[in-house]
PDB file of all heavy atoms in Angstrom:
ATOM      1  N   SER A  41       8.126   0.715  -6.569  1.00  0.00           N
ATOM      2  CA  SER A  41       8.222   0.573  -8.004  1.00  0.00           C
ATOM      3  C   SER A  41       7.946   1.875  -8.736  1.00  0.00           C
ATOM      4  O   SER A  41       8.541   2.123  -9.800  1.00  0.00           O
ATOM      5  CB  SER A  41       7.239  -0.517  -8.494  1.00  0.00           C
ATOM      6  OG  SER A  41       5.903  -0.170  -8.224  1.00  0.00           O
ATOM      7  N   LEU A  42       7.160   2.727  -8.162  1.00  0.00           N
ATOM      8  CA  LEU A  42       6.926   4.049  -8.721  1.00  0.00           C
ATOM      9  C   LEU A  42       8.223   4.902  -8.653  1.00  0.00           C
ATOM     10  O   LEU A  42       8.586   5.631  -9.596  1.00  0.00           O
ATOM     11  CB  LEU A  42       5.792   4.779  -8.034  1.00  0.00           C
ATOM     12  CG  LEU A  42       5.318   6.084  -8.669  1.00  0.00           C
ATOM     13  CD1 LEU A  42       4.859   5.882 -10.094  1.00  0.00           C
ATOM     14  CD2 LEU A  42       4.223   6.682  -7.817  1.00  0.00           C
ATOM     15  N   ALA A  43       8.955   4.721  -7.557  1.00  0.00           N
ATOM     16  CA  ALA A  43      10.269   5.382  -7.434  1.00  0.00           C
ATOM     17  C   ALA A  43      11.195   4.828  -8.492  1.00  0.00           C
ATOM     18  O   ALA A  43      12.035   5.565  -9.036  1.00  0.00           O
ATOM     19  CB  ALA A  43      10.853   5.169  -6.037  1.00  0.00           C
ATOM     20  N   GLY A  44      11.098   3.541  -8.788  1.00  0.00           N
ATOM     21  CA  GLY A  44      11.924   2.977  -9.878  1.00  0.00           C
ATOM     22  C   GLY A  44      11.601   3.587 -11.224  1.00  0.00           C
ATOM     23  O   GLY A  44      12.478   3.837 -12.037  1.00  0.00           O
ATOM     24  N   VAL A  45      10.319   3.889 -11.474  1.00  0.00           N
ATOM     25  CA  VAL A  45       9.936   4.555 -12.710  1.00  0.00           C
ATOM     26  C   VAL A  45      10.585   5.925 -12.763  1.00  0.00           C
ATOM     27  O   VAL A  45      11.077   6.353 -13.811  1.00  0.00           O
ATOM     28  CB  VAL A  45       8.379   4.675 -12.800  1.00  0.00           C
ATOM     29  CG1 VAL A  45       8.003   5.564 -13.947  1.00  0.00           C
ATOM     30  CG2 VAL A  45       7.757   3.291 -12.985  1.00  0.00           C
ATOM     31  N   TYR A  46      10.569   6.624 -11.649  1.00  0.00           N
ATOM     32  CA  TYR A  46      11.217   7.958 -11.622  1.00  0.00           C
ATOM     33  C   TYR A  46      12.726   7.847 -11.908  1.00  0.00           C
ATOM     34  O   TYR A  46      13.272   8.691 -12.605  1.00  0.00           O
ATOM     35  CB  TYR A  46      11.039   8.638 -10.283  1.00  0.00           C
ATOM     36  CG  TYR A  46       9.604   9.046  -9.951  1.00  0.00           C
ATOM     37  CD1 TYR A  46       9.088   8.992  -8.692  1.00  0.00           C
ATOM     38  CD2 TYR A  46       8.705   9.421 -10.966  1.00  0.00           C
ATOM     39  CE1 TYR A  46       7.771   9.329  -8.400  1.00  0.00           C
ATOM     40  CE2 TYR A  46       7.388   9.753 -10.714  1.00  0.00           C
ATOM     41  CZ  TYR A  46       6.968   9.699  -9.425  1.00  0.00           C
ATOM     42  OH  TYR A  46       5.676  10.062  -9.151  1.00  0.00           O
ATOM     43  N   LEU A  47      13.361   6.833 -11.396  1.00  0.00           N
ATOM     44  CA  LEU A  47      14.787   6.627 -11.674  1.00  0.00           C
ATOM     45  C   LEU A  47      15.033   6.365 -13.149  1.00  0.00           C
ATOM     46  O   LEU A  47      15.991   6.893 -13.708  1.00  0.00           O
ATOM     47  CB  LEU A  47      15.350   5.496 -10.840  1.00  0.00           C
ATOM     48  CG  LEU A  47      15.730   5.808  -9.385  1.00  0.00           C
ATOM     49  CD1 LEU A  47      16.172   4.553  -8.653  1.00  0.00           C
ATOM     50  CD2 LEU A  47      16.818   6.884  -9.358  1.00  0.00           C
ATOM     51  N   VAL A  48      14.214   5.543 -13.739  1.00  0.00           N
ATOM     52  CA  VAL A  48      14.327   5.249 -15.179  1.00  0.00           C
ATOM     53  C   VAL A  48      14.165   6.531 -15.991  1.00  0.00           C
ATOM     54  O   VAL A  48      14.852   6.710 -17.033  1.00  0.00           O
ATOM     55  CB  VAL A  48      13.379   4.119 -15.604  1.00  0.00           C
ATOM     56  CG1 VAL A  48      13.345   3.967 -17.114  1.00  0.00           C
ATOM     57  CG2 VAL A  48      13.734   2.813 -14.942  1.00  0.00           C
ATOM     58  N   LEU A  49      13.289   7.381 -15.577  1.00  0.00           N
ATOM     59  CA  LEU A  49      13.023   8.631 -16.301  1.00  0.00           C
ATOM     60  C   LEU A  49      14.022   9.744 -15.931  1.00  0.00           C
ATOM     61  O   LEU A  49      13.748  10.899 -16.255  1.00  0.00           O
ATOM     62  CB  LEU A  49      11.570   9.106 -16.046  1.00  0.00           C
ATOM     63  CG  LEU A  49      10.525   8.135 -16.553  1.00  0.00           C
ATOM     64  CD1 LEU A  49       9.126   8.617 -16.182  1.00  0.00           C
ATOM     65  CD2 LEU A  49      10.628   7.970 -18.071  1.00  0.00           C
ATOM     66  N   THR A  50      15.078   9.416 -15.253  1.00  0.00           N
ATOM     67  CA  THR A  50      16.157  10.313 -14.812  1.00  0.00           C
ATOM     68  C   THR A  50      15.677  11.453 -13.924  1.00  0.00           C
ATOM     69  O   THR A  50      16.190  12.574 -14.007  1.00  0.00           O
ATOM     70  CB  THR A  50      16.948  10.894 -16.011  1.00  0.00           C
ATOM     71  OG1 THR A  50      16.137  11.781 -16.765  1.00  0.00           O
ATOM     72  CG2 THR A  50      17.545   9.823 -16.873  1.00  0.00           C
ATOM     73  N   ALA A  51      14.722  11.138 -13.051  1.00  0.00           N
ATOM     74  CA  ALA A  51      14.231  12.119 -12.102  1.00  0.00           C
ATOM     75  C   ALA A  51      14.721  11.613 -10.706  1.00  0.00           C
ATOM     76  O   ALA A  51      13.897  11.148  -9.906  1.00  0.00           O
ATOM     77  CB  ALA A  51      12.756  12.276 -12.144  1.00  0.00           C
ATOM     78  N   GLU A  52      16.035  11.650 -10.475  1.00  0.00           N
ATOM     79  CA  GLU A  52      16.615  11.061  -9.252  1.00  0.00           C
ATOM     80  C   GLU A  52      16.075  11.722  -8.005  1.00  0.00           C
ATOM     81  O   GLU A  52      15.810  11.040  -7.030  1.00  0.00           O
ATOM     82  CB  GLU A  52      18.141  11.126  -9.315  1.00  0.00           C
ATOM     83  CG  GLU A  52      18.755  10.284 -10.361  1.00  0.00           C
ATOM     84  CD  GLU A  52      18.870  10.975 -11.724  1.00  0.00           C
ATOM     85  OE1 GLU A  52      18.544  12.165 -11.812  1.00  0.00           O
ATOM     86  OE2 GLU A  52      19.251  10.285 -12.688  1.00  0.00           O
ATOM     87  N   LEU A  53      15.976  13.055  -8.003  1.00  0.00           N
ATOM     88  CA  LEU A  53      15.501  13.741  -6.817  1.00  0.00           C
ATOM     89  C   LEU A  53      14.084  13.316  -6.468  1.00  0.00           C
ATOM     90  O   LEU A  53      13.765  13.035  -5.298  1.00  0.00           O
ATOM     91  CB  LEU A  53      15.566  15.255  -7.026  1.00  0.00           C
ATOM     92  CG  LEU A  53      15.003  16.085  -5.876  1.00  0.00           C
ATOM     93  CD1 LEU A  53      15.882  15.973  -4.672  1.00  0.00           C
ATOM     94  CD2 LEU A  53      14.852  17.524  -6.264  1.00  0.00           C
ATOM     95  N   LEU A  54      13.234  13.227  -7.462  1.00  0.00           N
ATOM     96  CA  LEU A  54      11.847  12.825  -7.248  1.00  0.00           C
ATOM     97  C   LEU A  54      11.826  11.366  -6.747  1.00  0.00           C
ATOM     98  O   LEU A  54      10.993  11.038  -5.897  1.00  0.00           O
ATOM     99  CB  LEU A  54      11.053  12.971  -8.532  1.00  0.00           C
ATOM    100  CG  LEU A  54       9.562  12.971  -8.450  1.00  0.00           C
ATOM    101  CD1 LEU A  54       9.064  14.014  -7.459  1.00  0.00           C
ATOM    102  CD2 LEU A  54       8.951  13.211  -9.759  1.00  0.00           C
ATOM    103  N   ALA A  55      12.692  10.520  -7.279  1.00  0.00           N
ATOM    104  CA  ALA A  55      12.720   9.156  -6.824  1.00  0.00           C
ATOM    105  C   ALA A  55      13.120   9.055  -5.360  1.00  0.00           C
ATOM    106  O   ALA A  55      12.533   8.276  -4.572  1.00  0.00           O
ATOM    107  CB  ALA A  55      13.698   8.338  -7.682  1.00  0.00           C
ATOM    108  N   TRP A  56      14.108   9.821  -4.950  1.00  0.00           N
ATOM    109  CA  TRP A  56      14.541   9.800  -3.517  1.00  0.00           C
ATOM    110  C   TRP A  56      13.497  10.396  -2.615  1.00  0.00           C
ATOM    111  O   TRP A  56      13.295   9.917  -1.512  1.00  0.00           O
ATOM    112  CB  TRP A  56      15.883  10.489  -3.348  1.00  0.00           C
ATOM    113  CG  TRP A  56      16.980   9.572  -3.770  1.00  0.00           C
ATOM    114  CD1 TRP A  56      17.831   9.749  -4.838  1.00  0.00           C
ATOM    115  CD2 TRP A  56      17.370   8.321  -3.196  1.00  0.00           C
ATOM    116  NE1 TRP A  56      18.691   8.698  -4.930  1.00  0.00           N
ATOM    117  CE2 TRP A  56      18.452   7.820  -3.945  1.00  0.00           C
ATOM    118  CE3 TRP A  56      16.889   7.613  -2.105  1.00  0.00           C
ATOM    119  CZ2 TRP A  56      19.032   6.608  -3.633  1.00  0.00           C
ATOM    120  CZ3 TRP A  56      17.493   6.387  -1.811  1.00  0.00           C
ATOM    121  CH2 TRP A  56      18.556   5.912  -2.569  1.00  0.00           C
ATOM    122  N   VAL A  57      12.822  11.426  -3.069  1.00  0.00           N
ATOM    123  CA  VAL A  57      11.724  12.012  -2.283  1.00  0.00           C
ATOM    124  C   VAL A  57      10.608  10.971  -2.123  1.00  0.00           C
ATOM    125  O   VAL A  57      10.041  10.804  -1.054  1.00  0.00           O
ATOM    126  CB  VAL A  57      11.202  13.305  -2.946  1.00  0.00           C
ATOM    127  CG1 VAL A  57       9.878  13.731  -2.339  1.00  0.00           C
ATOM    128  CG2 VAL A  57      12.241  14.440  -2.788  1.00  0.00           C
ATOM    129  N   GLN A  58      10.347  10.241  -3.204  1.00  0.00           N
ATOM    130  CA  GLN A  58       9.294   9.195  -3.158  1.00  0.00           C
ATOM    131  C   GLN A  58       9.675   8.127  -2.109  1.00  0.00           C
ATOM    132  O   GLN A  58       8.863   7.728  -1.312  1.00  0.00           O
ATOM    133  CB  GLN A  58       9.192   8.510  -4.520  1.00  0.00           C
ATOM    134  CG  GLN A  58       8.251   7.349  -4.596  1.00  0.00           C
ATOM    135  CD  GLN A  58       6.814   7.735  -4.728  1.00  0.00           C
ATOM    136  OE1 GLN A  58       6.465   8.843  -4.977  1.00  0.00           O
ATOM    137  NE2 GLN A  58       5.966   6.734  -4.510  1.00  0.00           N
ATOM    138  N   VAL A  59      10.926   7.701  -2.117  1.00  0.00           N
ATOM    139  CA  VAL A  59      11.379   6.675  -1.189  1.00  0.00           C
ATOM    140  C   VAL A  59      11.387   7.198   0.236  1.00  0.00           C
ATOM    141  O   VAL A  59      10.840   6.565   1.167  1.00  0.00           O
ATOM    142  CB  VAL A  59      12.769   6.120  -1.608  1.00  0.00           C
ATOM    143  CG1 VAL A  59      13.349   5.279  -0.487  1.00  0.00           C
ATOM    144  CG2 VAL A  59      12.693   5.366  -2.869  1.00  0.00           C
ATOM    145  N   LEU A  60      11.995   8.381   0.469  1.00  0.00           N
ATOM    146  CA  LEU A  60      12.136   8.894   1.833  1.00  0.00           C
ATOM    147  C   LEU A  60      10.792   9.289   2.420  1.00  0.00           C
ATOM    148  O   LEU A  60      10.479   8.973   3.587  1.00  0.00           O
ATOM    149  CB  LEU A  60      13.093  10.089   1.815  1.00  0.00           C
ATOM    150  CG  LEU A  60      14.544   9.743   1.554  1.00  0.00           C
ATOM    151  CD1 LEU A  60      15.335  11.012   1.449  1.00  0.00           C
ATOM    152  CD2 LEU A  60      15.090   8.855   2.629  1.00  0.00           C
ATOM    153  N   ILE A  61       9.997  10.040   1.680  1.00  0.00           N
ATOM    154  CA  ILE A  61       8.741  10.575   2.272  1.00  0.00           C
ATOM    155  C   ILE A  61       7.636   9.528   2.245  1.00  0.00           C
ATOM    156  O   ILE A  61       7.041   9.251   3.296  1.00  0.00           O
ATOM    157  CB  ILE A  61       8.271  11.823   1.477  1.00  0.00           C
ATOM    158  CG1 ILE A  61       9.405  12.837   1.472  1.00  0.00           C
ATOM    159  CG2 ILE A  61       6.995  12.337   2.025  1.00  0.00           C
ATOM    160  CD1 ILE A  61       9.327  13.953   2.372  1.00  0.00           C
ATOM    161  N   TYR A  62       7.366   8.970   1.093  1.00  0.00           N
ATOM    162  CA  TYR A  62       6.180   8.075   0.984  1.00  0.00           C
ATOM    163  C   TYR A  62       6.512   6.686   1.605  1.00  0.00           C
ATOM    164  O   TYR A  62       5.771   6.180   2.473  1.00  0.00           O
ATOM    165  CB  TYR A  62       5.679   7.944  -0.421  1.00  0.00           C
ATOM    166  CG  TYR A  62       5.022   9.217  -0.877  1.00  0.00           C
ATOM    167  CD1 TYR A  62       5.627  10.115  -1.751  1.00  0.00           C
ATOM    168  CD2 TYR A  62       3.764   9.559  -0.361  1.00  0.00           C
ATOM    169  CE1 TYR A  62       5.019  11.278  -2.138  1.00  0.00           C
ATOM    170  CE2 TYR A  62       3.158  10.757  -0.734  1.00  0.00           C
ATOM    171  CZ  TYR A  62       3.780  11.608  -1.620  1.00  0.00           C
ATOM    172  OH  TYR A  62       3.199  12.738  -1.948  1.00  0.00           O
ATOM    173  N   VAL A  63       7.551   6.081   1.102  1.00  0.00           N
ATOM    174  CA  VAL A  63       7.846   4.732   1.601  1.00  0.00           C
ATOM    175  C   VAL A  63       8.369   4.787   3.006  1.00  0.00           C
ATOM    176  O   VAL A  63       7.915   4.025   3.892  1.00  0.00           O
ATOM    177  CB  VAL A  63       8.869   4.005   0.685  1.00  0.00           C
ATOM    178  CG1 VAL A  63       9.259   2.660   1.233  1.00  0.00           C
ATOM    179  CG2 VAL A  63       8.288   3.877  -0.698  1.00  0.00           C
ATOM    180  N   GLY A  64       9.247   5.716   3.304  1.00  0.00           N
ATOM    181  CA  GLY A  64       9.900   5.782   4.589  1.00  0.00           C
ATOM    182  C   GLY A  64       9.046   6.378   5.670  1.00  0.00           C
ATOM    183  O   GLY A  64       9.120   5.980   6.851  1.00  0.00           O
ATOM    184  N   ALA A  65       8.191   7.356   5.381  1.00  0.00           N
ATOM    185  CA  ALA A  65       7.467   8.074   6.422  1.00  0.00           C
ATOM    186  C   ALA A  65       5.973   7.707   6.445  1.00  0.00           C
ATOM    187  O   ALA A  65       5.439   7.341   7.496  1.00  0.00           O
ATOM    188  CB  ALA A  65       7.681   9.562   6.219  1.00  0.00           C
ATOM    189  N   VAL A  66       5.335   7.802   5.292  1.00  0.00           N
ATOM    190  CA  VAL A  66       3.878   7.644   5.285  1.00  0.00           C
ATOM    191  C   VAL A  66       3.503   6.220   5.612  1.00  0.00           C
ATOM    192  O   VAL A  66       2.609   5.970   6.448  1.00  0.00           O
ATOM    193  CB  VAL A  66       3.297   8.039   3.916  1.00  0.00           C
ATOM    194  CG1 VAL A  66       1.859   7.686   3.783  1.00  0.00           C
ATOM    195  CG2 VAL A  66       3.494   9.552   3.711  1.00  0.00           C
ATOM    196  N   VAL A  67       4.168   5.228   5.056  1.00  0.00           N
ATOM    197  CA  VAL A  67       3.816   3.817   5.304  1.00  0.00           C
ATOM    198  C   VAL A  67       4.146   3.464   6.774  1.00  0.00           C
ATOM    199  O   VAL A  67       3.381   2.775   7.439  1.00  0.00           O
ATOM    200  CB  VAL A  67       4.491   2.864   4.307  1.00  0.00           C
ATOM    201  CG1 VAL A  67       4.298   1.429   4.713  1.00  0.00           C
ATOM    202  CG2 VAL A  67       3.980   3.177   2.880  1.00  0.00           C
ATOM    203  N   VAL A  68       5.278   3.936   7.255  1.00  0.00           N
ATOM    204  CA  VAL A  68       5.630   3.679   8.650  1.00  0.00           C
ATOM    205  C   VAL A  68       4.643   4.345   9.583  1.00  0.00           C
ATOM    206  O   VAL A  68       4.191   3.759  10.566  1.00  0.00           O
ATOM    207  CB  VAL A  68       7.085   4.154   8.946  1.00  0.00           C
ATOM    208  CG1 VAL A  68       7.385   4.112  10.444  1.00  0.00           C
ATOM    209  CG2 VAL A  68       8.078   3.295   8.175  1.00  0.00           C
ATOM    210  N   LEU A  69       4.212   5.559   9.254  1.00  0.00           N
ATOM    211  CA  LEU A  69       3.207   6.241  10.070  1.00  0.00           C
ATOM    212  C   LEU A  69       1.885   5.476  10.041  1.00  0.00           C
ATOM    213  O   LEU A  69       1.249   5.325  11.090  1.00  0.00           O
ATOM    214  CB  LEU A  69       3.005   7.678   9.553  1.00  0.00           C
ATOM    215  CG  LEU A  69       1.974   8.513  10.294  1.00  0.00           C
ATOM    216  CD1 LEU A  69       2.450   8.816  11.690  1.00  0.00           C
ATOM    217  CD2 LEU A  69       1.739   9.789   9.573  1.00  0.00           C
ATOM    218  N   MET A  70       1.532   4.942   8.909  1.00  0.00           N
ATOM    219  CA  MET A  70       0.270   4.159   8.795  1.00  0.00           C
ATOM    220  C   MET A  70       0.381   2.894   9.658  1.00  0.00           C
ATOM    221  O   MET A  70      -0.562   2.553  10.385  1.00  0.00           O
ATOM    222  CB  MET A  70       0.025   3.815   7.344  1.00  0.00           C
ATOM    223  CG  MET A  70      -1.281   3.043   7.157  1.00  0.00           C
ATOM    224  SD  MET A  70      -1.481   2.390   5.524  1.00  0.00           S
ATOM    225  CE  MET A  70      -0.410   1.000   5.567  1.00  0.00           C
ATOM    226  N   LEU A  71       1.510   2.199   9.599  1.00  0.00           N
ATOM    227  CA  LEU A  71       1.671   0.996  10.398  1.00  0.00           C
ATOM    228  C   LEU A  71       1.683   1.295  11.900  1.00  0.00           C
ATOM    229  O   LEU A  71       1.106   0.575  12.690  1.00  0.00           O
ATOM    230  CB  LEU A  71       2.947   0.230   9.952  1.00  0.00           C
ATOM    231  CG  LEU A  71       2.848  -0.365   8.572  1.00  0.00           C
ATOM    232  CD1 LEU A  71       4.161  -1.001   8.155  1.00  0.00           C
ATOM    233  CD2 LEU A  71       1.716  -1.384   8.453  1.00  0.00           C
ATOM    234  N   PHE A  72       2.344   2.403  12.293  1.00  0.00           N
ATOM    235  CA  PHE A  72       2.311   2.817  13.654  1.00  0.00           C
ATOM    236  C   PHE A  72       0.866   3.180  14.114  1.00  0.00           C
ATOM    237  O   PHE A  72       0.455   2.868  15.226  1.00  0.00           O
ATOM    238  CB  PHE A  72       3.222   3.999  13.952  1.00  0.00           C
ATOM    239  CG  PHE A  72       4.641   3.604  14.167  1.00  0.00           C
ATOM    240  CD1 PHE A  72       5.680   4.365  13.664  1.00  0.00           C
ATOM    241  CD2 PHE A  72       4.976   2.452  14.899  1.00  0.00           C
ATOM    242  CE1 PHE A  72       6.984   3.979  13.878  1.00  0.00           C
ATOM    243  CE2 PHE A  72       6.269   2.068  15.105  1.00  0.00           C
ATOM    244  CZ  PHE A  72       7.295   2.872  14.605  1.00  0.00           C
ATOM    245  N   ALA A  73       0.097   3.815  13.248  1.00  0.00           N
ATOM    246  CA  ALA A  73      -1.289   4.148  13.580  1.00  0.00           C
ATOM    247  C   ALA A  73      -2.087   2.895  13.831  1.00  0.00           C
ATOM    248  O   ALA A  73      -2.905   2.803  14.741  1.00  0.00           O
ATOM    249  CB  ALA A  73      -1.922   4.983  12.492  1.00  0.00           C
ATOM    250  N   VAL A  74      -1.844   1.859  13.011  1.00  0.00           N
ATOM    251  CA  VAL A  74      -2.561   0.583  13.223  1.00  0.00           C
ATOM    252  C   VAL A  74      -2.180   0.002  14.548  1.00  0.00           C
ATOM    253  O   VAL A  74      -3.043  -0.521  15.306  1.00  0.00           O
ATOM    254  CB  VAL A  74      -2.209  -0.379  12.054  1.00  0.00           C
ATOM    255  CG1 VAL A  74      -2.640  -1.818  12.417  1.00  0.00           C
ATOM    256  CG2 VAL A  74      -2.844   0.056  10.797  1.00  0.00           C
ATOM    257  N   MET A  75      -0.913   0.070  14.933  1.00  0.00           N
ATOM    258  CA  MET A  75      -0.474  -0.481  16.196  1.00  0.00           C
ATOM    259  C   MET A  75      -0.999   0.353  17.386  1.00  0.00           C
ATOM    260  O   MET A  75      -1.368  -0.223  18.416  1.00  0.00           O
ATOM    261  CB  MET A  75       1.071  -0.558  16.258  1.00  0.00           C
ATOM    262  CG  MET A  75       1.612  -1.587  15.341  1.00  0.00           C
ATOM    263  SD  MET A  75       3.397  -1.666  15.519  1.00  0.00           S
ATOM    264  CE  MET A  75       3.888  -1.711  13.825  1.00  0.00           C
ATOM    265  N   LEU A  76      -0.963   1.656  17.275  1.00  0.00           N
ATOM    266  CA  LEU A  76      -1.423   2.503  18.398  1.00  0.00           C
ATOM    267  C   LEU A  76      -2.897   2.426  18.640  1.00  0.00           C
ATOM    268  O   LEU A  76      -3.349   2.553  19.791  1.00  0.00           O
ATOM    269  CB  LEU A  76      -1.025   3.986  18.116  1.00  0.00           C
ATOM    270  CG  LEU A  76       0.436   4.289  18.325  1.00  0.00           C
ATOM    271  CD1 LEU A  76       0.705   5.725  17.908  1.00  0.00           C
ATOM    272  CD2 LEU A  76       0.813   4.132  19.802  1.00  0.00           C
ATOM    273  N   THR A  77      -3.721   2.261  17.607  1.00  0.00           N
ATOM    274  CA  THR A  77      -5.147   2.249  17.772  1.00  0.00           C
ATOM    275  C   THR A  77      -5.652   0.835  18.130  1.00  0.00           C
ATOM    276  O   THR A  77      -6.868   0.661  18.289  1.00  0.00           O
ATOM    277  CB  THR A  77      -5.872   2.739  16.531  1.00  0.00           C
ATOM    278  OG1 THR A  77      -5.469   1.907  15.443  1.00  0.00           O
ATOM    279  CG2 THR A  77      -5.540   4.173  16.236  1.00  0.00           C
TER     280      THR A  77
END
Side-chain angles (χ1 to χ4, degrees):
S41 62
L42 189 59
V45 170
Y46 293 146
L47 279 176
V48 170
L49 296 176
T50 67
E52 291 88 5
L53 177 68
L54 196 55
W56 282 113
V57 167
Q58 175 81 14
V59 169
L60 291 174
I61 305 259
Y62 288 106
V63 176
V66 171
V67 174
V68 170
L69 181 67
M70 183 189 77
L71 292 175
F72 276 142
V74 166
M75 289 182 226
L76 283 174
T77 58

